[in-house]
Amino acid sequence: MKKIDWFIVISDLQRNKISMSRLATDLKVSERTIANWKSVNEPKYSAGIKIIELWRKTMNRTEIPCIKEGRYD
């Protein structure tokens, strides 16, 4: 199963004028948590769904950016 590339998702939102502060407020988490999702961890399922919905609306795309982990992914 492919993993979502949260770095790309959050970076795309930031490039489209959606700040970490706004994401943090909307998701009821800290900005540090958003930064951690972008660089190290991944969000819980419910927060991830909300971020992806916002990303799809903002980017006007349906295919979510994924990390390619191996040769056969």
Side-chain angles (χ1 to χ4, degrees):
M1 179 173 9
K2 293 183 181 179
K3 288 185 166 189
I4 295 171
D5 191 332
W6 293 106
F7 179 84
I8 291 175
V9 170
I10 294 170
S11 294
D12 283 348
L13 291 173
Q14 289 178 303
R15 278 192 294 274
N16 282 278
K17 310 277 191 266
I18 297 175
S19 66
M20 282 188 168
S21 176
R22 177 180 164 196
L23 282 174
T25 300
D26 290 351
L27 297 170
K28 297 177 178 63
V29 297
S30 69
E31 287 184 50
R32 186 176 197 171
T33 297
I34 302 292
N36 283 336
W37 292 343
K38 184 177 176 182
S39 62
V40 180
N41 300 320
E42 58 183 44
K44 291 182 181 180
Y45 182 82
S46 59
I49 292 293
K50 290 177 183 178
I51 294 171
I52 291 300
E53 287 174 0
L54 179 60
W55 180 86
R56 282 181 167 156
K57 288 178 188 174
T58 302
M59 301 303 293
N60 196 25
R61 294 175 56 194
T62 57
E63 189 172 329
I64 302 165
C66 292
I67 297 170
K68 293 188 179 182
E69 293 186 20
R71 182 176 176 180
Y72 301 105
D73 288 343

